[in-house]
Each structure stands twice: as structure tokens, then as C-alpha cells.
Amino acid sequence: MLLSRSAREALGVSLKNSVVIIDEAHNLVDTILATHSALLDARCVTLLLDLVQRYFKKYWQRLRGSNVVHIRRTIALLRALDKYMRAVKTEDGGTPDVLVKGVNEFLHDAHADHINVFTIDRYLRESKIGRKLNMFADRQVGSNSDAEKRPRAQTAAGPQKSEIAPATAVAALEAFIAGIGSPDRTGARIVVRNGAHGVELSYVLLDPSEAFGELRREARAVVLAGGTMTPATDVVEQLLPRFGRLSRDTCSPAELMKLDPDNARLFSWSHVVSPSHICSLVIESGPTNTPLKFAFQDQQNTLRIRECGQALAALCNVIPGGVVVFFPSYALLSKMLSVWRENGIIERIARRKPVVTEDAQNVLSEYVEHVRGPHKGAVLLSVVGGRLSEGINFSDELGRAVVMVGVPFPSLASPELNERLTYYESIGQKPTMSTVARPAEQSMGPRARSLYESLCMRAVNQSIGRAIRHRGDFAAIVFLDAR
């Protein structure tokens, strides 16, 4: 809510003369990008086109002239989107998996570049037409006996659960138009893909600086706090791109003074825990000297998976208390569990410490019971980015070791991530949509590589930070991957 101007305005929240403190600010950029992105699928467009046309047909004589114009523009935009989504076909008649377009390019291809989406966006926000459409849809469902006239598909058994609700469709439309109606379109893309419910249009924000700038200009001060924000270079560059690269390790005092015009400061302090309380290890090979490397192409290698299990079993023999193990993905966790069970490795580990997986019903209580009960220890298998990788404290005997299996690099198969890396590489340059390089297909530039590695290491830092929760705590941090 705080990061969205429209949400603040709707709730009457003003940040004037306020000091805004954002904790866990390592997530701020991702949160801004997610908050201002939107998804509109074929079901929404079909339902909304029918709904708005029937609303206009019923009430057009009661509407003011300006409202008639705005609703007709909205109908024209919905028709253009509907026609575009129906026409997105490959040469063999199928729907392509992914298309990535700039906002202006998308509007041109959809033959909607003559429609003023800025005024439609303003009209939707100021007129609250979304609420009126919701109430109109509810009345239609209650009053119409003819199933074909209802805004949701009906059968004799009632509304189909797979159909989308009008309120959800209206909210999706408002978010999508707010995106494509933004004055700055260079820092956004439209991703067209074939989803579970037909063609999907995703508005993907790439530049968080405008949204953050609105908050920064309105508030008296903004404090970004977090324990895993270093390195802060990419965060500063994305939120305050005109300041350029920032690092106290590489920038001179004169260069750091570039922050003075906006009274921005960067502070960092050492950890309160003594280095003697932390034992960090990188284990590059297993007991039989087989290299431990779990890049995507290596994740089906049963020999390496067995070696990893043997190494984990050996660690559990000497580490007291609880051991929390993080995997890059649920797929790799499932694969490793299967191989370890087939080869008796889970049974070997369980002889020393009971094994608890993240999908257990009462996973935390079960894990704590084993650690503090007669077993005096347990092994918890979890996933980076899962429900146990942030906000959970494994202090003292609950986390005497955190083991990281593999390296959780984000998937380059994601078109959204590829566009974000490409855009970040172009900061400070004039991006051209015709010469966009794809990091997944070509070698990354240094800036894209830096951001890609930062996204990975922040996830690692969040996971290993579950242990050592106070000044007197101690733990081992073990990486089972040669990389």
C-alpha cells in the first residue's frame, strides 16, 4: 500500500512531513516492481468487454458527455486488446510461448496507439467506474435468468469455479491500464505468453526509480534498513539511477558527495557477532573426491547427488543440535530426497538426527521438538525463497549449522528477469527497443552480471542469516558447491 500512489490516495494516506522507515529493504526493489506490474488474461478481456458494453447500453442516456467519451474509449481499448489476443498466432496456427515488446510497440501492434490511455487511466481512478461495474455485475447475476446475459459463465449447477469474478477482472484492467498509461514507458515491457487461460498480457515494470521517487519526494525522510543490503550498488542505482555507481570501497569521498543534492547517505556497520563465533566452509567435493556442482545441467547427476548426501551425513555426525539445509529449488530438493532414500542416505542421517522436510504439516513444531527433545538434534530440509528462508529464527541449538546446497541463481528462462537484466545494463545509456540484447542468449554485460549475482547472494544471505540471532550465538555456515 505504501509504495503505490493510487493506494495511498484511495485510503487518504499522506506522507507529507513523515519519516518513512522501510525494514528488510533488500526486498524493496523487487516489491516495487511487483506492486506496479500487472497481468491481464483473455478471460478478463472477454468478460470486461461484455460487461462494459452492457453497462454502457443500459446507462448511456444518463451519463454526461465526457463520461460517454471515456467509456467509448475504454470499449475501443478492450476491443483492440481482445482482437490482438485472438490474433497472436504463430505460422502453424499455435500461440507462441513468449513475446516481449515495449509498451509503445505493443500498442502499435494492437492498433491501439491512437487511443489516449492516459485519459482512460485518469478516468478509471477519478470516476471509480470499477466499483460501479462491480455493482452492475452483481445486480445482473441476481436479476438475469438467462445464463448467456450473465457476466460469468453459468451452467445448471451454477457459476463455474474456473471463471474469473468481475471484481477481479476490473482490478486487473485498472492495474494494466495504470501501467501502460504511465508517462515513462522506456522502463517497462509487455510480455505476451500463452497461459493456462489463453493469451496473457503482463505489464512488467523494470525501472523502480519513478515509483520510489514519488514516495521520496512526498515524505520528509526515507530510511532504508536491512541486514543483508550489502552490496548496495545495484539498489542505489535502481532507486536513484542518476547518481551512478556507488560503493564506499571503490568511490572516492568526492564521488560520494554526489549524493548531497538530495541529502542521501549510505551507512553500514559491522556485525555485532564476533568472527570467532562463525565458521564458514566451502566444500568443493564429496568423500570420494567427486566435484560438488549443481548448476541446472548437473542437477540430474545421481553420482553428485549421492556425494552431496554423503557429505551432509558426515557433517551431521559432528555438528550438534539442529542443522538447517537450504536447496535452490523444490525440484532439486525432491530429486535429491528421492536419490538419498534409494541409497539409504536419509536412513543414515536419521540414525543421528531425525529428518524434517519443509512440506511437513507442523514443520517448525516438529523440528523444535526433535532438537530440544531426546534426540538433541534434527535436520530441516528447506528451499531458498520458501516459507522458512525469511523471518524465522533458528537461534542457539535450533541452528548450529546452515548448509547451502548449490547456488540459487534465478532462472534465466524467465523473460521478465532477462528484460530486467538488459535494462539494468542499459542504465546511463539510451536504450533502443530494436537493439535489445538478451542475457540468456548472449553473454551478460558486467552490470547485468553484477545484478544477477547480487540477486543470488541476497537470497543466500537471507537463508544463512536464519542462524546466529544474537551476540552470544554461534554456528557453522557450509556451502556444498564448488562454485
Side-chain angles (χ1 to χ4, degrees), residues 408-462:
F409 281 108
S411 173
L412 286 174
S414 166
E416 290 85 354
L417 177 61
N418 272 285
E419 291 300 321
R420 181 178 174 184
L421 295 174
T422 300
Y423 182 79
Y424 183 68
E425 183 71 29
S426 71
I427 289 179
Q429 307 171 8
K430 291 184 178 180
T432 58
M433 286 304 301
S434 60
T435 58
V436 172
R438 296 289 184 264
E441 301 171 2
Q442 304 176 18
S443 59
M444 293 185 193
R447 293 162 59 80
R449 170 63 63 180
S450 174
L451 175 60
Y452 187 58
E453 292 176 352
S454 292
L455 293 173
C456 170
M457 293 314 299
R458 284 204 184 92
V460 170
N461 288 340
Q462 277 298 302

Side-chain angles (χ1 to χ4, degrees), residues 125-344:
R125 286 189 284 108
E126 295 178 355
S127 69
K128 312 297 182 186
I129 186 69
R131 299 179 184 177
K132 299 173 185 177
L133 289 173
N134 286 332
M135 291 187 290
F136 175 73
D138 290 339
R139 286 197 298 269
Q140 290 289 297
V141 170
S143 61
N144 290 341
S145 58
D146 187 353
E148 295 180 354
K149 294 182 180 180
R150 297 183 182 181
R152 284 187 288 180
Q154 302 277 336
T155 65
Q160 295 295 301
K161 292 183 179 179
S162 62
E163 292 300 321
I164 193 168
T168 304
V170 169
L173 176 67
E174 290 177 335
F176 186 80
I177 291 182
I180 64 175
S182 173
D184 181 15
R185 293 174 171 175
T186 59
R189 301 288 184 270
I190 302 295
V191 177
V192 185
R193 58 160 52 90
N194 185 26
H197 303 287
V199 176
E200 295 177 347
L201 305 176
S202 297
Y203 173 83
V204 181
L205 181 67
L206 305 176
D207 182 7
S209 61
E210 182 181 354
F212 179 73
E214 293 175 350
L215 184 149
R216 182 169 55 88
R217 289 188 293 269
E218 186 177 348
R220 180 179 180 86
V222 180
V223 179
L224 308 183
T228 56
M229 293 188 65
T230 301
T233 302
D234 63 278
V235 175
V236 173
E237 281 198 330
Q238 291 179 86
L239 297 179
L240 307 170
R242 59 196 180 90
F243 288 135
R245 298 189 71 80
L246 170 69
S247 172
R248 287 193 177 277
D249 298 329
T250 59
C251 292
S252 67
E255 291 173 319
L256 291 174
M257 289 297 289
K258 289 189 295 183
L259 294 176
D260 283 345
D262 285 75
N263 297 319
R265 296 289 188 274
L266 174 64
F267 301 96
S268 61
W269 294 270
S270 300
H271 204 292
V272 297
V273 176
S274 170
S276 62
H277 288 207
I278 304 172
C279 176
S280 58
L281 299 171
V282 177
I283 299 178
E284 299 184 10
S285 58
T288 64
N289 211 30
T290 300
L292 297 178
K293 184 180 178 182
F294 297 103
F296 180 77
Q297 63 270 20
D298 302 313
Q299 293 183 5
Q300 301 300 317
N301 189 317
T302 56
L303 176 59
R304 291 184 179 180
I305 292 176
R306 287 199 304 269
E307 284 289 287
C308 179
Q310 299 289 359
L312 179 60
L315 289 170
C316 292
N317 285 336
V318 297
I319 297 175
V323 177
V324 183
V325 185
F326 286 101
F327 296 81
S329 66
Y330 287 101
L332 182 59
L333 169 57
S334 176
K335 175 65 176 179
M336 286 195 166
L337 269 177
S338 176
V339 174
W340 291 351
R341 288 192 176 108
E342 290 175 2
N343 291 271

Side-chain angles (χ1 to χ4, degrees), residues 9 17 19 28 34 58 68 70-71 84 88 109-110 190-191 206 236 279 296 329 344 369 403:
E9 292 175 350
N17 294 325
V19 176
L28 179 59
K58 185 176 180 67
V68 170
H70 289 311
I71 292 180
Y84 175 82
V88 175
D109 291 348
I190 302 295
V191 177
L206 305 176
V236 173
C279 176
F296 180 77
S329 66
E369 182 180 348
V403 179

